Amino acid sequence: MTRIFDFFGDIGSVLIRFFEMLGEIVLFALNGVSHFFRPPFYLNILWRQLLEIGYFSLPVVGMTTLFSGMVLALQSYSGFQANFAEATVPVLVVVAITRELAPVLAGLMVAGRIGASMAAELGTMRVTEQIDALGTLQTDPFKYLIAPRLLAGMLMLPFLVLIGDILGIMGGFIVGAYKLNLNPIIFITNSREALDTVGVVSGIVKAAVFGFVVSLMGCYHGFNSSGGARGVGTATTNAVVSASILILIFNYFITELFFSR
């Protein structure tokens, strides 16, 4: 009987800690977002984060979406060829890239690159007491460190996804036209017909949410890290893992919001 009580006690402790952390994250996010609209504004910090998240992430996001589009064209052709439905290949490429693959892959790539970087940077600042020193300089850490990163993540992920849409569809076209010998004119025509506003907008909305989630997880785990170098490493790992899981969870709910009947 004691073991049963201990078992349920452990489950209760985990649930309590989970909801405590959820509340902390929500309050952390609200505090960071509130500084979007209150001066002073550190535009130089924001510009630096826009470059770091957007411009310097272009190669990894571009390569990922380009080759995903190419692989998607190959795989869909091998499946549709048996049913003489090769003309469906561009439709599948466009729909899959714009609605799912570009935003999800961009979010996961940025989570691995930027989420880890934010957590490591802020974690190092925390354990070396640089964040505490900001208070002595009458500088709000949330306004100086958190708000620019959250805003930059929300702004730059949609930009990366739009580039990913173009490169992913282009990858499918390259494989379809030059590898699978599909008619290029028909491929372009079918792609244009499959490209709908709702699909593109849903991908952009997902990107904005994913960008906020990645930045939030990186900032939260780094800002609250402790325990020296080991704590910074743990915060970095937690930031990437939690951001990746949340991206997949939010992807379902946003898809449900846009495409449920």
Side-chain angles (χ1 to χ4, degrees):
M1 184 65 68
T2 303
R3 291 182 178 179
I4 295 176
F5 285 133
D6 290 341
F7 174 74
F8 285 106
D10 292 339
I11 294 177
S13 298
V14 170
L15 290 176
I16 291 173
R17 179 54 191 152
F18 170 77
F19 285 110
E20 285 180 350
M21 181 176 293
L22 182 61
E24 292 173 0
I25 292 173
V26 171
L27 292 176
F28 187 92
L30 292 175
N31 194 7
V33 171
S34 68
H35 288 286
F36 290 177
F37 314 102
R38 292 185 288 169
F41 303 110
Y42 297 98
L43 297 181
N44 57 332
I45 303 296
L46 176 61
W47 175 248
R48 190 185 311 161
Q49 293 302 317
L50 290 173
L51 287 177
E52 183 67 27
I53 297 173
Y55 180 75
F56 293 117
S57 296
L58 269 175
V60 63
V61 173
M63 293 290 289
T64 302
T65 52
L66 175 67
F67 281 96
S68 295
M70 297 171 73
V71 170
L72 188 61
L74 279 174
Q75 294 283 20
S76 58
Y77 180 81
S78 63
F80 291 144
Q81 188 180 25
N83 299 316
F84 304 99
E86 296 90 340
T88 313
V89 171
V91 176
L92 179 61
V93 169
V94 169
V95 171
I97 290 291
T98 56
R99 295 186 182 185
E100 293 295 328
L101 290 182
V104 171
L105 291 176
L108 293 176
M109 292 299 104
V110 172
R113 182 180 179 276
I114 298 301
S117 175
M118 288 182 181
E121 182 180 0
L122 295 181
T124 302
M125 294 180 69
R126 170 61 73 187
V127 298
T128 56
E129 299 182 351
Q130 295 180 52
I131 294 179
D132 298 328
L134 288 175
T136 64
L137 299 174
Q138 295 184 342
T139 301
D140 191 330
F142 271 83
K143 181 169 289 294
Y144 187 79
L145 298 174
I146 307 304
R149 287 169 168 80
L150 295 180
L151 183 58
M154 290 180 63
L155 294 177
M156 295 314 296
L157 254 293
F159 164 75
L160 291 174
V161 167
L162 285 176
I163 300 298
D165 288 342
I166 295 171
L167 292 177
I169 296 172
M170 185 178 73
F173 172 78
I174 292 172
V175 169
Y178 300 103
K179 171 69 176 178
L180 305 176
N181 296 320
L182 299 178
N183 189 309
I185 303 301
I186 296 177
F187 194 102
I188 294 174
T189 302
N190 291 347
S191 298
R192 291 180 59 184
E193 292 177 353
L195 192 64
D196 62 326
T197 303
V198 176
V200 176
V201 170
S202 69
I204 293 174
V205 171
K206 288 180 180 181
V209 174
F210 297 165
F212 182 81
V213 166
V214 169
S215 301
L216 176 62
M217 290 297 100
C219 291
Y220 171 79
H221 288 288
F223 193 85
N224 293 289
S225 64
S226 60
R230 184 179 182 87
V232 174
T234 301
T236 303
T237 301
N238 291 340
V240 176
V241 172
S242 58
S244 300
I245 293 173
L246 287 175
I247 283 172
L248 298 177
I249 293 174
F250 278 107
N251 179 57
Y252 170 79
F253 286 108
I254 298 173
T255 302
E256 179 76 17
L257 178 65
F258 274 92
F259 301 107
S260 62
R261 292 293 184 267

